[in-house]
Structures are given as C-alpha cells and as structure tokens.
Amino acid sequence: MTTSVPVPGSAEPLNCELCQRISVLAFHTTRNDVLDRAECRRTDGHGMWLCSICEEAVHRWMAQHPGPGSAQQAVNEMIQRLSGLIDGPPRKYRRQRPTDDTA
C-alpha cells in the first residue's frame, strides 16, 4: 500500500499495483469507503495506484457490496480473483501447423 502523496523525489508508479499493467494510473483510497471514483482519486490517505480496468472493477464491487471497509475488501477480492486465474488449471492450447503437401 502506498499513500496518495508520493514520497518527495518520487513519482506515481508506472505499473498498476494490483494487476501490474503499465497504464495511466488513478489513486484508490482504502482508508475511506468513497464510492464516487473522482472523489476517491482526490482523497488523501492510504491506498493503491490502479489502472482504469482495476479501478472500475474495484468500484463496481464496492457498489454491489456497500458497507464499512468496502474499499479494502474490494481490493482483497480483486487479489483473490487474480490469484485464482494465475493459480487455476492451465488452459488447453491447440496449435495447428499447416501441412506441407509440396514434398
């Protein structure tokens, strides 16, 4: 977790702190449960720098599961979902090579 105010001499990270995608980032506070995305970005305190896809997913989860601590719970849920995709069963990939009929 980071804070909305970068350490002097540093900048916001290049990668989303949730999915590691390189993208334009927005700050998501986890200390306060702010449902409005624009207000959440302006809120000081502890939180994470998220890409637009993760920010949308986190705020959608918060809207569906309102209550105290929903900002942090939403981040925890996204971590569990990403872990499930990474640790899940491997996908079946089929690669077909064209047959060489000229020989």
Side-chain angles (χ1 to χ4, degrees), residues 33-83:
D33 301 322
V34 181
L35 193 54
D36 181 66
R37 289 169 63 179
E39 186 180 342
C40 182
R41 293 175 189 153
R42 293 188 303 267
T43 303
D44 290 333
H46 292 278
M48 298 179 79
W49 291 94
L50 303 177
C51 68
S52 60
I53 295 170
C54 289
E55 182 193 28
E56 173 68 29
V58 164
H59 281 274
R60 189 178 309 146
W61 191 94
M62 287 173 63
Q64 294 171 353
H65 303 88
S70 64
Q72 181 62 53
Q73 291 172 1
V75 169
N76 295 344
E77 177 66 23
M78 295 305 120
I79 291 170
Q80 288 300 317
R81 290 181 184 186
L82 286 171
S83 295

Side-chain angles (χ1 to χ4, degrees), residues 1 3 18 25 31 40 42-43 57 61 63 95:
M1 293 276 179
T3 61
L18 193 53
L25 304 176
R31 179 166 290 182
C40 182
R42 293 188 303 267
T43 303
W61 191 94
R95 181 177 175 188

